[in-house]
Amino acid sequence: MADMASEGSCWWSSLPIDLIHLISTKLPDLSDRIRVRAVCKLWRSSISVSDPSPRLPWFLRFAGDGEEEIICYSLSSNKTYKIHCQQLRDAYFEGTAGSFILCCRDGRPEPVSLFNPFNGLEISLPSPNHFQVYGVVSNPLQEDILAVSGTEARTGDIWSGFIRPGEETWVIRRWDIEYHFGVCVYYGGLWYVNEHNAHTLIEDAATGNIVSIILSPVSDLVLSQHMLETCGEILIIFRCNATDKLEGTYFDIYRLDEVRGNYQWVKIGDIGDRMLFLNRIGGFSLRNNELPGFKGNSIYFMDHDLQSNSILLCQHDLKNGTTEALPNFWGEGGTWIIPSFG
């Protein structure tokens, strides 16, 4: 397992709250949670005796390509941590997929892999060719499957694939579509693949049978498009901008509805108590009571500030339509990662 230390204390009793939450999800029954709660005041206040707390996102940035260290900022504990991993030596990074870092290493038989810095697990990706991965396409807060999507650099082929923990073989699907915007979700045994300004394909992942083909939603002034699963719903989110300033950012959201086997995209104006966290392509969601200090019915996304050459965490409030940059804790570069020891 990776060696992790806080910038202050590194004693076990000073573990960040979100890691204590993560440990609690591995406890098999109520009696174990009660015994662990008795360890100290911090653990007692952090571990529920009922349902385990959700996994909480960290913001990750790299010390540099080829370095054996990554730097993580915990949103819930407001602390920065460093993770040392020898497996990251001579690797450069293309992004994250849930709890995994996408690592690329030139001159190796399997040059691209997914690496979990929290437990040392490494999974080779299915293609022998160097390719770009768009990102995770399953909800990274679910632990039962890991799905990614991308294009092969040599052929330009578009593919999606998933693998279950403990298995060695990827299930691969190559898509014969002219234009792919990187929006693809695996959920409930189905692939949801969206062509920009064209069609949405819904396919049974086990059989390859097409369940439905419907018209994709369309929005103007689109900067990026995201598809994700949240609370059992499939959403498409368009980030748009009416001006060249951050304050002009707004979002159009569409929900996939099914009525008697017929699917359609329906535009919605709010997401209730949910908070959406957008990555470069996909994202994930939390309830507003799961991450103190963050607001429900909001979208959190990252924006590149050209003036300071840094990544800003921004919030768009769907109720009042405002967009603002939040205090920046981490400096240049980075992305989301979901800590997992599983």
Side-chain angles (χ1 to χ4, degrees):
M1 182 176 167
D3 173 30
M4 183 173 65
S6 167
E7 288 186 338
S9 170
C10 60
W11 296 102
W12 59 269
S13 59
S14 299
L15 282 174
I17 293 174
D18 36 9
L19 283 192
I20 298 174
H21 288 170
L22 187 57
I23 292 170
S24 73
T25 66
K26 305 301 179 183
L27 300 176
D29 53 42
L30 175 61
S31 61
D32 291 306
R33 287 204 288 273
I34 292 175
R35 284 195 293 269
V36 172
R37 279 167 50 90
V39 169
C40 64
K41 182 178 181 181
L42 174 65
W43 286 38
R44 185 164 55 254
S45 63
S46 303
I47 297 178
S48 170
V49 295
S50 55
D51 295 330
S53 301
R55 292 190 291 160
L56 300 176
W58 285 16
F59 187 86
L60 176 149
R61 62 185 175 93
F62 305 105
D65 287 345
E67 299 292 333
E68 299 179 16
E69 184 176 86
I70 58 175
I71 302 168
C72 296
Y73 172 77
S74 166
L75 296 178
S76 60
S77 63
N78 193 23
K79 292 183 179 180
T80 300
Y81 301 89
K82 295 179 180 180
I83 302 177
H84 300 270
C85 304
Q86 291 184 348
Q87 296 93 327
L88 300 178
R89 182 185 299 168
D90 301 325
Y92 59 96
F93 314 105
E94 295 287 351
T96 59
S99 302
F100 292 84
I101 299 170
L102 179 66
C103 297
C104 300
R105 301 176 182 88
D106 293 330
R108 292 195 179 188
E110 297 178 338
V112 186
S113 66
L114 292 166
F115 173 69
N116 185 332
F118 301 96
N119 63 8
L121 178 63
E122 189 162 11
I123 302 174
S124 294
L125 283 167
S127 171
N129 304 308
H130 182 88
F131 56 86
Q132 174 187 3
V133 170
Y134 289 126
V136 66
V137 296
S138 57
N139 190 330
L141 301 181
Q142 298 174 342
E143 296 186 342
D144 60 336
I145 200 164
L146 174 68
V148 294
S149 181
T151 57
E152 291 190 12
R154 182 175 61 84
T155 64
D157 290 342
I158 298 159
W159 64 270
S160 296
F162 67 86
I163 191 170
R164 300 181 188 279
E167 296 184 356
E168 297 182 356
T169 304
W170 286 81
V171 178
I172 299 299
R173 172 69 163 94
R174 297 182 185 275
W175 303 100
D176 183 20
I177 55 179
E178 293 185 359
Y179 185 78
H180 188 274
F181 205 78
V183 286
C184 175
V185 167
Y186 178 94
Y187 178 68
L190 299 176
W191 287 114
Y192 299 85
V193 182
N194 198 61
E195 295 182 82
H196 185 50
N197 293 343
H199 296 91
T200 302
L201 287 72
I202 306 174
E203 180 181 290
D204 188 303
T207 65
N209 294 331
I210 299 296
V211 175
S212 183
I213 301 177
I214 60 176
L215 289 176
S216 296
V218 178
S219 291
D220 297 326
L221 307 173
V222 175
L223 295 179
S224 62
Q225 181 184 168
H226 309 259
M227 183 190 288
L228 57 89
E229 177 274 328
T230 166
C231 299
E233 297 179 338
I234 305 296
L235 302 182
I236 281 183
I237 304 103
F238 294 100
R239 179 187 169 188
C240 310
N241 200 317
T243 69
D244 60 352
K245 298 184 181 298
L246 176 65
E247 292 76 12
T249 298
Y250 65 96
F251 290 85
D252 288 337
I253 307 175
Y254 294 82
R255 182 185 64 225
L256 186 64
D257 282 358
E258 179 188 4
V259 180
R260 299 184 182 88
N262 296 317
Y263 291 88
Q264 59 181 345
W265 289 107
V266 177
K267 191 171 185 179
I268 59 175
D270 67 74
I271 53 175
D273 66 346
R274 286 174 288 182
M275 307 178 293
L276 304 184
F277 292 82
L278 300 184
N279 285 323
R280 185 165 60 92
I281 296 297
F284 55 92
S285 68
L286 293 169
R287 299 286 190 182
N288 65 344
N289 63 347
E290 294 175 338
L291 188 59
F294 289 76
K295 185 179 179 181
N297 204 21
S298 295
I299 297 176
Y300 292 89
F301 64 100
M302 296 177 194
D303 189 68
H304 184 201
D305 182 18
L306 296 176
Q307 186 173 4
S308 62
N309 192 31
S310 62
I311 300 296
L312 303 177
L313 176 61
C314 305
Q315 178 205 9
H316 177 77
D317 188 313
L318 287 167
K319 181 177 180 180
N320 57 33
T322 58
T323 302
E324 63 176 344
L326 302 180
N328 189 346
F329 299 100
W330 41 72
E332 300 178 8
T335 185
W336 297 113
I337 193 167
I338 310 294
S340 174
F341 296 126

